[in-house]
Amino acid sequence: MSGNDKIVVRNLFKVFGDDPDAVISLHRQGVDKEEIHTRTGMTLGVSDASFTVQEGEIFVIMGLSGSGKSTLIRLINRLIEPSAGEIIIDGVDIARLSARDLRELRRRSMGMVFQSFALMPHLNVLENTAFGLELSGIPRAERESRAQAALEQVGLACWAQSWPDELSGGMRQRVGLARALANDPAILLMDEAFSALDPLIRAEMQDELLTLQAEQKRTILFVSHDLDEAMRLGDRIAIMEGGRVVQVGTPDEILTQPADDYVRSFFRGVNISAVLTAGDVAVKQQVTLVERDGTVRAAIARIGKADRDFAYVVDGRRRFHGVVSVASLEVEARTPKPELHRAFLSDVTPLPASTSIADIISPVAQAPCGLPVVDDDGRYMGVVSRALLLQALAGEGTPAHD
């Protein structure tokens, strides 16, 4: 287990039935889930799942109905007991914890938000938010203070004395989120938390979650059947089918390198421009020059040898400085003291690596050359040209030659 692994799941099984060992044995012999059910009447809910969740990431578990995603997230905090395998949180296998130690772990480290708002109508917003703390025996003054702070985090501080039936659906779900946050959990488990909301409110709740995550960096496991939601929220995504974890990767890894036809079918029709960024598609196949005084003629020769029209100028630390063309260099070469920086093209602006492809279509189309891409520190990452952009938008990956 590496230093950044918050949760490690190894060979996890859940069998619904009275002889799980027999089912697991059949699975290991290669018998599929449907045949196992036909032979035994038992259901293999989660099948030999293994993955890690890094500290501070949003890890989305997605799949079709019946894929095992909700079962899996309930295994993580043992709302459902595993049939076999390990669930290691901060180095401790919770599958082996006593009931008392498990309750303490949940109280100390975990929060959970469900699809249903699960608010009690006879309690006001503050009392609903503090309810879990009350069950944990937290004194009233402390639990109300923590609940009020959690309501502030989700923008509902002024609604603390309101009743659930006075709130909109989105506000009620915010109360559910605040109740989970009141315990200040290191791990937040969210099972289809936004799926009951209408699309506009759902997008607002996604924004809210991303804002909270930017501020607090919790480890979040988020179950969703919605691909757009998974792509928007997930640092990494696990795709499930029939109880199996088929593939784990970043959104663009899964989009561009699907493990099989099942995963590929999930992403068919996805708007790639909303997923990939400039940094995802930039390639380093252009001429680069390290800026030094008196290199203008050498630069012309080097660009000509590579049969290119432009070159990208960086310093010794690969920080981007500018773009030159053969024409701009030849003009500068005729001056008494040629200097490379005076040949920089004025109409080329670098693209931040995080810029979505949708937002670079127009700049790339209008630029005289492929646009350079830079990271947060201004380091050169490569170039996005018109040809490269068209191939990325067509879902064909990056070309061999830019």
Side-chain angles (χ1 to χ4, degrees):
M1 179 165 165
S2 76
N4 293 325
D5 292 340
K6 186 70 173 179
I7 302 170
V8 177
V9 172
R10 293 195 188 113
N11 308 116
L12 187 62
F13 286 87
K14 177 59 187 177
V15 177
F16 295 98
D18 56 8
D19 191 2
D21 289 344
V23 170
I24 293 170
S25 177
L26 287 171
H27 166 79
R28 288 177 172 154
Q29 294 169 37
V31 182
D32 65 24
K33 179 179 177 178
E34 289 72 21
E35 180 63 19
I36 286 173
H37 186 265
T38 299
R39 292 191 197 181
T40 67
M42 291 181 279
T43 299
L44 186 55
V46 171
S47 173
D48 204 13
S50 295
F51 58 90
T52 62
V53 180
Q54 304 297 306
E55 186 171 10
E57 78 171 330
I58 299 180
F59 186 90
V60 177
I61 303 167
M62 69 173 302
L64 301 177
S65 178
S67 63
K69 56 188 185 299
S70 291
T71 299
L72 179 58
I73 202 169
R74 283 166 168 74
L75 288 168
I76 299 296
N77 67 352
R78 274 182 60 190
L79 286 178
I80 297 175
E81 290 293 327
S83 302
E86 298 176 309
I87 306 162
I88 300 169
I89 298 177
D90 291 330
V92 176
D93 185 358
I94 72 161
R96 304 183 187 281
L97 289 181
S98 66
R100 178 179 178 180
D101 289 341
L102 179 61
R103 283 195 301 272
E104 177 61 20
L105 174 71
R106 289 173 180 158
R107 186 191 68 79
R108 185 182 70 249
S109 301
M110 289 186 174
M112 190 154 190
V113 184
F114 296 95
Q115 176 179 345
S116 61
F117 309 132
L119 302 186
M120 284 159 280
H122 64 287
L123 300 180
N124 66 26
V125 166
L126 184 67
E127 292 165 338
N128 264 289
T129 304
F131 186 70
L133 298 174
E134 182 178 1
L135 293 179
S136 297
I138 304 298
R140 179 172 180 173
E142 180 183 348
R143 68 177 183 254
E144 289 187 352
S145 174
R146 288 166 63 174
Q148 186 68 34
L151 288 170
E152 289 175 4
Q153 290 180 54
V154 300
L156 288 179
C158 61
W159 295 83
Q161 301 304 316
S162 300
W163 301 98
D165 64 2
E166 297 175 320
L167 307 181
S168 67
M171 294 168 74
R172 289 197 292 272
Q173 189 60 298
R174 286 172 189 260
V175 177
L177 179 56
R179 183 170 53 201
L181 295 174
N183 200 41
D184 193 24
I187 298 169
L188 193 58
L189 307 177
M190 305 184 73
D191 187 11
E192 299 277 11
F194 304 151
S195 62
L197 305 174
D198 70 55
L200 182 60
I201 297 174
R202 186 173 190 167
E204 291 175 354
M205 287 301 298
Q206 291 167 3
D207 289 340
E208 189 77 37
L209 182 64
L210 290 170
T211 299
L212 287 169
Q213 183 67 351
E215 296 170 352
Q216 299 170 354
K217 279 294 180 186
R218 287 183 169 87
T219 302
I220 300 175
L221 274 75
F222 192 103
V223 168
S224 179
H225 67 272
D226 184 273
L227 183 58
D228 289 336
E229 183 171 70
M231 301 289 273
R232 186 175 188 212
L233 295 179
D235 295 306
R236 290 188 301 145
I237 300 172
I239 306 289
M240 293 193 70
E241 179 194 23
R244 300 181 303 123
V245 176
V246 180
Q247 185 172 4
V248 176
T250 64
D252 59 279
E253 284 171 350
I254 294 179
L255 180 62
T256 58
Q257 303 169 51
D260 59 18
D261 288 341
Y262 175 78
V263 177
R264 192 172 292 108
S265 68
F266 248 107
F267 288 82
R268 191 166 293 129
V270 169
N271 180 7
I272 292 176
S273 69
V275 178
L276 297 180
T277 65
D280 292 328
V281 300
V283 296
K284 292 181 177 178
Q285 293 173 338
Q286 294 286 347
V287 176
T288 53
L289 305 170
V290 177
E291 185 171 12
R292 297 187 186 92
D293 291 336
T295 61
V296 171
R297 295 193 182 280
I300 294 172
R302 190 160 168 219
I303 297 172
K305 185 176 181 181
D307 195 23
R308 299 284 186 171
D309 296 315
F310 301 91
Y312 297 79
V313 182
V314 299
D315 64 17
R317 296 183 179 179
R318 304 294 293 176
R319 287 179 300 214
F320 174 75
H321 281 207
V323 178
V324 295
S325 68
V326 172
S328 71
L329 288 168
E330 287 177 342
V331 169
E332 179 61 22
R334 291 193 287 269
T335 64
K337 291 184 177 181
E339 293 186 14
L340 198 59
H341 69 87
R342 288 205 297 259
F344 289 172
L345 303 182
S346 61
D347 52 352
V348 177
T349 302
L351 300 168
S354 60
T355 311
S356 73
I357 286 186
D359 291 334
I360 70 173
I361 293 172
S362 179
V364 169
Q366 296 175 26
C369 60
L371 287 182
V373 177
V374 297
D375 66 14
D376 291 341
D377 297 319
R379 286 190 293 265
Y380 173 78
M381 297 180 64
V383 172
V384 178
S385 67
R386 295 186 189 94
L388 184 69
L389 184 57
L390 286 171
Q391 291 201 25
L393 289 171
E396 298 172 5
T398 57
H401 299 287
D402 183 21

